[in-house]
């Protein structure tokens, strides 16, 4: 086991303090054959903290999978708040709905099935927080939409922006790498946001996430 796996587990145990509902969501996703690519517990808790920091009444998630990150996000909603989470695969959405039901969060969450680029135009903003974590080749388009559906002070988080370091290869033809690089070009040229990105190592290996603050 890599040292960062051990440290991640130590930090999880000490600080994150997952619970049965979250564990059950991962277990049910695994049993249903969903890939083990949910955010890590530490990352999930960060989403929960961010939701509270922005006093989120409305949260947008792109890429639901089994609803693990959705549980963290929805738990961070202000009272009466709502999460809209977009998922292309019906089976993933079905698992997510069950997990959210078990978490007691079903009334606060709207799981919408379909390719996000088809469902996004149906949404009405503003969202206080957006979490982009779907197919990486569409990252720039998703960011454009999230920004469109934001207000000044909204926060946009994008998962998987380092991809084991592959992001710095200008000759890469990998769709995910191209997607992240296109996203960064867009963000760099976008005066309405201030953005940064943090590299991460841990139970999900070497990756990172970007955080953008909507200024105007
Ligand atoms: N946010 C989840 C993990 C998402 S994995 C968590 O941390 O728990 C990425 C998800 O995006 C998968 O479920 C995949 O089916 C979905 N996805 C892929 N392409 C998509 C698209 N075009 N529109 C919406 N969802 C998509
Ligand atoms: C993959 C997708 C993710 O969102 C992630 O966090 C890790 C891996 C993947 O498609 O392999
Ligand atoms: Mg991800």
């Amino acid at each position: 086991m890599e040292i960062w796996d051990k440290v991640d587990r130590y930090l999880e145990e000490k600080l994150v303090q997952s619970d049965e509902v979250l564990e059950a969501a991962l277990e049910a996703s695994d049993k249903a054959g969903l890939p083990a690519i949910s955010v890590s517990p530490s990352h999930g808790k960060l989403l929960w903290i961010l939701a509270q920091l922005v006093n989120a009444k409305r949260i947008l998630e792109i890429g639901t999978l089994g609803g693990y990150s959705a549980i963290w996000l929805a738990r961070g909603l202000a009272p009466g708040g709502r999460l809209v989470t977009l998922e292309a695969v019906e089976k993933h959405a079905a698992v997510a709905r069950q997990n959210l039901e078990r978490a007691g969060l079903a009334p606060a969450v709207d799981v919408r099935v379909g390719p996000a680029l088809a469902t996004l135009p149906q949404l009405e903003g503003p969202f206080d927080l957006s979490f982009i974590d779907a197919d990486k080749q569409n990252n720039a388009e998703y960011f454009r939409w999230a920004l469109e559906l934001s207000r000044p002070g909204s926060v946009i988080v994008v998962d998987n922006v380092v991809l084991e370091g592959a992001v710095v290869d200008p000759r890469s033809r990998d769709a995910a790498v191209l997607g992240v690089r296109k996203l960064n070009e867009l963000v760099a040229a976008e005066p309405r946001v201030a953005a940064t990105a943090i590299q991460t190592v841990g139970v999900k290996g070497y990756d990172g996430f970007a955080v953008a603050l909507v200024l105007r």
Side-chain angles (χ1 to χ4, degrees):
M1 195 194 287
E2 300 282 5
I3 184 68
W4 45 82
D5 286 316
K6 283 190 202 162
V7 173
D8 225 357
R9 277 168 202 182
Y10 163 78
L11 295 173
E12 268 169 53
E13 199 180 297
K14 284 291 164 205
L15 303 179
V16 179
Q17 294 163 346
S18 180
D19 57 45
E20 277 153 32
V21 166
L22 287 161
E23 293 307 313
L26 290 178
E27 202 172 307
S29 301
D30 193 49
K31 273 203 178 131
L34 272 50
I37 56 175
S38 308
V39 293
S40 70
S42 323
H43 193 168
K45 191 161 182 184
L46 176 63
L47 295 174
W48 177 73
I49 290 172
L50 284 173
Q52 292 173 88
L53 278 175
V54 301
N55 188 27
K57 292 176 182 70
R58 301 198 64 216
I59 302 178
L60 169 65
E61 177 177 64
I62 307 178
T64 315
L65 193 65
Y68 181 77
S69 53
I71 293 175
W72 281 110
L73 287 166
R75 283 179 172 179
L77 283 164
R82 289 191 68 80
L83 164 69
V84 179
T85 181
L86 312 180
E87 173 54 54
V89 180
E90 174 59 54
K91 181 181 158 185
H92 296 181
V95 173
R97 286 194 185 103
Q98 275 194 350
N99 283 333
L100 288 158
E101 183 73 45
R102 192 188 302 106
L105 293 165
V109 184
D110 185 1
V111 184
R112 298 222 186 155
V113 181
L117 289 177
T119 45
L120 279 163
Q122 303 166 5
L123 301 183
E124 229 182 289
F127 290 93
D128 308 296
L129 174 65
S130 296
F131 178 49
I132 299 174
D133 190 22
D135 51 325
K136 313 308 170 193
Q137 69 263 29
N138 285 319
N139 265 343
E141 281 305 307
Y142 295 153
F143 190 88
R144 237 188 281 277
W145 272 108
L147 182 56
E148 210 51 53
L149 295 166
S150 289
R151 51 146 179 99
S154 293
V155 171
I156 303 171
V157 178
V158 187
D159 197 23
N160 311 114
V161 297
V162 173
L163 303 167
E164 297 181 304
V167 68
V168 293
D169 179 2
R171 282 172 305 196
S172 174
R173 289 177 181 192
D174 181 85
V177 173
L178 290 170
V180 172
R181 290 179 66 88
K182 192 170 164 199
L183 166 75
N184 288 334
E185 297 301 325
L186 175 79
V187 172
E190 178 50 76
R192 289 176 292 172
V193 302
T196 188
I198 301 295
Q199 302 186 68
T200 53
V201 287
V203 291
K204 290 190 70 184
Y206 173 35
D207 212 324
F209 61 89
V211 180
L213 173 65
V214 179
L215 304 170
R216 52 187 157 92

